[in-house]
């Protein structure tokens, strides 16, 4: 089920491509290691910056606590992907050689396989929680309903981490290392028999849990909650048009920017996760689809997920003034080791906007 164990190297060599899809997979395989490494080298430090800024005292609120959980999960995903991309794509080619698939590296592949399954599930469910919490907040603006508080949001993030790990236990169980027969013995992960008639029940259970709870289910929920959030924002804007005053207008603009940013994050989740959900669902019902067609698209699915992991920092910088102010504040401290005129100006702006959340 995981992209990292199914790629073009499972199907043969690229000197005689079978079809156009195979030819595409062969060409992209030569690029994937470098592209994924570049994205991860950008995404890991920027997600660490996200964590530092979102946990600042002036930034703490339920939505930012959830975004922090997403940043932690995304950083873990990309930290694991860096050695994977270097060893299995950049240092070695398509051939299954003993140097590529040593005992240690194959067990690392098993760890990376399970870690990425878990962190992707955590991220998308936190995305669902984020959209629902924001919907409740926008829905309750001006009518005095009680929203989720910071303590409950932290508990929610921890529960998503724990429940996701629990759902992934069948996936951990079916991950096994074997040694190939023949003169050129290498260690490999046991092939999954997704869609085959003799697929064991434990593999079928792991597949359905992963597809329903890790992909299709949260994709449906995040689409519904995102649509409700967009509609509720429109209703809230219409309701506040009758209110006058610059302060009301500024507050509404801030909430609109925040909600649009969160909707952009939701859209990125859908773009990154929905194609894989559909392909995996087809793989269950169509024999050999997982081993052939899905395997050829696995690296492309991986890069979409990595781009999703790395883009939140850009969206925060583009759409949150408070995030930019704090980032500039931190940069000034690091570069100048003191408070120059620019730094003092930033502190003044930050003080004025400390009540505004991302």
């Amino acid at each position: 089920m995981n992209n990292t164990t199914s790629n073009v190297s499972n199907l043969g060599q690229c000197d005689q491509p079978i079809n156009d899809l195979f030819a595409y997979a062969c060409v992209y395989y030569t690029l994937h290691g470098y592209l994924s490494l570049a994205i991860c080298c950008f995404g890991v430090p920027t997600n660490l910056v996200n964590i530092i800024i979102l946990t600042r005292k002036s930034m703490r609120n339920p939505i930012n606590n959830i975004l922090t959980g997403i940043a932690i999960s995304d950083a873990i995903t990309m930290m694991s992907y860096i050695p994977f991309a270097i060893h299995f794509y950049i240092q070695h080619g398509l051939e299954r050689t003993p140097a590529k698939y040593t005992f240690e590296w194959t067990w690392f592949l098993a760890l990376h396989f399970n870690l990425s399954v878990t962190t992707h599930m955590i991220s998308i469910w936190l995305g669902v929680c984020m959209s629902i919490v924001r919907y409740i907040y926008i829905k309750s603006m001006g009518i005095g309903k009680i929203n989720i508080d910071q303590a409950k949001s932290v508990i929610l993030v921890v529960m998503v981490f724990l429940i996701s790990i629990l759902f992934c236990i069948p996936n951990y169980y079916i991950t096994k290392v074997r040694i190939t027969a023949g003169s050129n013995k290498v260690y490999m992960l046991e092939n999954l028999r997704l869609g085959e008639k003799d697929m064991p029940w434990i593999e079928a259970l792991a597949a359905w849990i992963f597809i329903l709870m890790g992909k299709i289910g949260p994709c449906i929920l995040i689409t519904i909650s995102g649509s409700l959030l967009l509609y509720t924002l429109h209703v809230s804007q219409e309701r506040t048009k009758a209110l006058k005053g610059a302060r009301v207008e500024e507050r509404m603009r801030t909430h609109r920017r925040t909600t649009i940013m969160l909707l952009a994050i939701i859209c990125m989740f859908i773009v990154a996760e929905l194609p894989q959900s559909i392909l995996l669902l087809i793989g269950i019902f169509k024999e050999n689809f997982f081993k052939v067609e899905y395997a050829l698209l696995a690296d492309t699915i991986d890069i979409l997920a990595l781009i999703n992991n790395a883009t939140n920092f850009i969206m925060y910088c583009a759409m949150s003034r408070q995030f930019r102010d704090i980032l500039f504040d931190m940069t000034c401290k690091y570069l100048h080791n003191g408070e120059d005129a620019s730094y003092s100006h930033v502190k003044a702006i930050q003080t004025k906007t400390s009540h505004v959340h991302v």
Side-chain angles (χ1 to χ4, degrees):
M1 282 171 293
N2 187 271
N3 307 339
T4 60
T5 59
S6 298
N7 53 51
V8 67
S9 63
N10 291 339
L11 301 176
Q13 302 305 313
C14 287
D15 51 352
Q16 295 180 338
I18 300 170
N19 51 42
D20 291 341
L21 184 59
F22 197 104
Y24 161 77
C26 288
V27 171
Y28 182 69
Y29 181 89
T30 62
L31 304 174
H32 179 73
Y34 298 98
L35 289 176
S36 58
L37 182 61
I39 292 170
C40 290
C41 287
F42 171 79
V44 170
T46 53
N47 271 290
L48 294 178
V49 171
N50 291 344
I51 294 167
I52 293 170
I53 293 179
L54 293 174
T55 53
R56 293 276 290 254
K57 187 175 181 179
S58 62
M59 295 287 284
R60 292 175 196 164
N61 64 69
I63 287 293
N64 286 352
N65 290 339
I66 296 172
L67 291 176
T68 301
I70 293 175
I72 292 170
S73 178
D74 290 347
I76 293 172
T77 301
M78 288 184 285
M79 282 190 283
S80 172
Y81 212 95
I82 289 173
F84 167 74
I86 292 173
H87 182 79
F88 288 97
Y89 285 86
I90 297 175
Q91 289 185 340
H92 298 276
L94 289 170
E95 295 80 10
R96 293 181 175 180
T97 62
K100 182 178 181 180
Y101 290 100
T102 64
F103 178 79
E104 293 79 9
W105 275 109
T106 305
W107 272 109
F108 168 79
L109 186 63
L111 174 64
H112 173 70
F113 162 72
N114 287 307
L115 188 62
S116 60
V117 166
T118 307
T119 53
H120 278 116
M121 186 178 291
I122 290 169
S123 290
I124 193 168
W125 276 108
L126 287 176
V128 173
C129 294
M130 175 195 69
S131 60
I132 293 173
V133 170
R134 187 64 184 177
Y135 166 73
I136 293 172
Y137 177 77
I138 295 294
K139 183 76 173 176
S140 65
M141 282 178 60
I143 56 178
K145 288 188 178 179
I146 299 176
N147 297 301
I148 183 173
D149 57 26
Q150 286 201 54
K152 290 179 181 177
S153 68
V154 172
I155 294 173
L156 178 64
V157 171
V158 173
M159 290 300 296
V160 168
F161 270 78
L162 295 177
I163 293 173
S164 297
I165 293 171
L166 182 64
F167 277 133
C168 289
I169 288 177
N171 213 70
Y172 305 154
Y173 180 79
I174 65 174
T175 307
K176 296 177 181 177
V177 174
R178 62 180 174 86
I179 188 168
T180 60
S183 57
N184 192 23
K185 293 183 178 181
V186 296
Y187 291 92
M188 298 293 298
L189 293 184
E190 194 72 45
N191 290 328
L192 299 177
R193 284 165 283 185
L194 189 66
E196 298 181 14
K197 295 178 180 179
D198 61 342
M199 180 170 62
W201 71 269
I202 187 65
E203 288 190 17
L205 176 64
W208 278 111
I209 289 176
F210 179 71
I211 292 170
L212 294 179
M213 301 305 299
K215 297 295 177 182
I216 292 178
C219 278
I220 292 172
L221 289 175
I222 204 170
T223 302
I224 294 172
S225 57
S227 301
L228 289 173
L229 179 57
L230 185 61
Y231 172 76
T232 306
L233 178 64
H234 173 72
V235 172
S236 179
Q237 285 178 315
E238 293 297 318
R239 190 171 61 225
T240 55
K241 278 183 179 179
L243 301 175
K244 297 181 180 180
R247 190 170 183 180
V248 173
E249 292 179 3
E250 175 62 26
R251 185 185 178 195
M252 197 61 222
R253 280 197 298 268
T254 300
H255 288 305
R256 184 167 59 251
R257 285 196 302 268
T258 300
T259 304
I260 291 172
M261 181 186 70
L262 298 182
L263 286 170
I265 294 173
I266 289 170
C267 289
M268 286 298 300
F269 272 119
I270 295 172
V271 169
E273 302 294 342
L274 189 58
Q276 186 185 14
S277 306
I278 296 171
L279 291 174
L280 286 171
L281 198 59
I282 295 172
I284 284 185
F285 297 105
K286 184 178 179 182
E287 191 171 1
N288 293 325
F289 180 87
F290 181 73
K291 285 185 176 180
V292 183
E293 286 88 350
Y294 182 89
L296 295 174
L297 294 170
D299 292 337
T300 303
I301 294 171
D302 264 2
I303 206 69
L304 286 175
L306 290 174
I307 291 171
N308 180 42
N309 295 153
T311 53
N312 285 351
F313 174 81
I314 298 173
M315 283 188 270
Y316 299 160
C317 289
M319 305 188 74
S320 173
R321 184 176 65 182
Q322 190 183 10
F323 188 93
R324 293 193 301 269
D325 289 342
I326 295 178
L327 178 62
F328 189 66
D329 178 4
M330 293 169 53
T331 305
C332 286
K333 280 185 176 180
Y334 178 78
L335 294 177
H336 301 291
N337 290 322
E339 295 190 0
D340 58 12
S342 297
Y343 175 65
S344 299
H345 175 66
V346 169
K347 290 200 69 162
I349 295 175
Q350 182 180 327
T351 302
K352 292 179 182 179
T353 60
S354 62
H355 64 284
V356 179
H357 301 304
V358 166

